[in-house]
């Protein structure tokens, strides 16, 4: 019997991948690197600095910037990204999310957020669902990013459960690998490329029946 739900944010609760893409694409352009939508798939679930490193490697420029310059580039991307986030409203919840969170509450299943994003609390406020989550893992407190399972183990711990007692929801392969590595039941939410290794995949949370999911 499952007792808790652990959600990724970007691509599961709301579609912020398009804003991450715009902000990285524009930043990369300034340093003469082309980032397209296909390459952007690789950045899903990956931390801000790791994303920058992947972009620099993609453009053959890994050794061209000092740590201070890299920090400034990441900060510039984030400033643009946060500007784009200002227009978010509750209407930007992905289809079925609102009802699913209502269903979780009705079934007394506490929910946590396991997102690599340092902007998660702000995004949840803009979406009007911050009070639906009993816990939000602080990504700054982690030693390793996804696909390491640390963030999911921490989310389960904050809910007071073992990972095996939780269901994890992810749209990125890196996150899905982390969920499986700690023994959680994995729901893959398809938003782009196919996902491998999920226990079940859906296009929208509306496809799931909560009492049935809790029996897994
Ligand atoms: C993840 C996104 O949720 O958060 C990544 O999928 C992003 O694309 C990462 O890089 C970090 O986000 P932020 O908001 O801290 O830059
Ligand atoms: Mg995601």
């Amino acid at each position: 019997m499952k007792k808790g739900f652990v959600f990724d944010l970007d691509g599961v609760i709301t579609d912020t991948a398009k804003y991450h893409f715009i902000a990285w694409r524009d930043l990369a352009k300034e340093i003469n690197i082309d980032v397209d939508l296909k390459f952007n798939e690789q950045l899903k679930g990956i931390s801000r600095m790791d994303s920058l490193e992947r972009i620099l490697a993609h453009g053959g420029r890994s050794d061209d910037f000092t740590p201070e310059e890299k920090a400034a580039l990441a900060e510039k991307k984030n400033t643009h990204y946060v500007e784009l986030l200002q227009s978010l409203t509750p209407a930007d919840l992905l289809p079925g999310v609102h009802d699913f969170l209502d269903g979780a509450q009705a079934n007394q299943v506490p929910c946590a957020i396991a997102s690599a994003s340092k902007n998660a609390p702000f995004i949840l406020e803009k979406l009007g669902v911050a009070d639906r989550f009993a816990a939000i893992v602080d990504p700054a407190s982690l030693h390793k990013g996804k696909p390491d399972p640390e963030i999911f183990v921490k989310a389960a711990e904050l809910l007071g459960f073992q990972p095996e007692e939780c269901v994890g929801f992810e749209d990125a392969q890196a996150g899905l690998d982390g969920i499986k590595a700690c023994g959680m039941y994995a729901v893959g939410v398809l938003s782009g490329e196919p996902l491998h290794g999920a226990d079940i995949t859906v296009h929208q949370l509306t496809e799931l029946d909560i009492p049935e999911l809790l029996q897994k």
Side-chain angles (χ1 to χ4, degrees), residues 15-30:
D15 179 20
T16 42
K18 59 191 176 203
Y19 301 130
H20 279 296
F21 171 64
I22 293 169
W24 279 129
R25 183 199 58 197
D26 290 1
L27 191 274
K29 207 179 204 172
E30 288 181 29

Side-chain angles (χ1 to χ4, degrees), residues 57-88:
H58 174 66
R61 303 205 60 185
S62 294
D63 301 326
D64 292 358
F65 301 93
T66 63
E68 293 73 26
E69 287 169 336
K70 286 179 184 178
L73 287 170
E75 181 60 33
K76 189 168 187 183
K77 178 267 174 177
N78 190 56
T79 301
H80 186 188
Y81 177 60
V82 171
E83 271 166 31
L84 296 169
L85 292 179
Q86 298 301 324
S87 62
L88 279 184

Side-chain angles (χ1 to χ4, degrees), residues 5 7-9 11-15 90-105 111 113 124 127-129 132-133 169 189 203-207 210:
F5 290 153
F7 296 89
D8 172 47
L9 174 67
V12 171
I13 302 291
T14 187
D15 179 20
D92 291 298
L93 284 171
L94 280 166
V97 171
H98 195 273
D99 286 352
F100 195 88
L101 293 174
D102 277 352
Q105 206 162 13
C111 298
I113 290 285
L124 293 171
L127 295 171
V129 292
R132 299 305 192 96
F133 296 93
F169 301 77
V189 182
H203 287 91
Q204 297 185 358
L205 298 188
T206 44
E207 293 162 46
I210 293 180

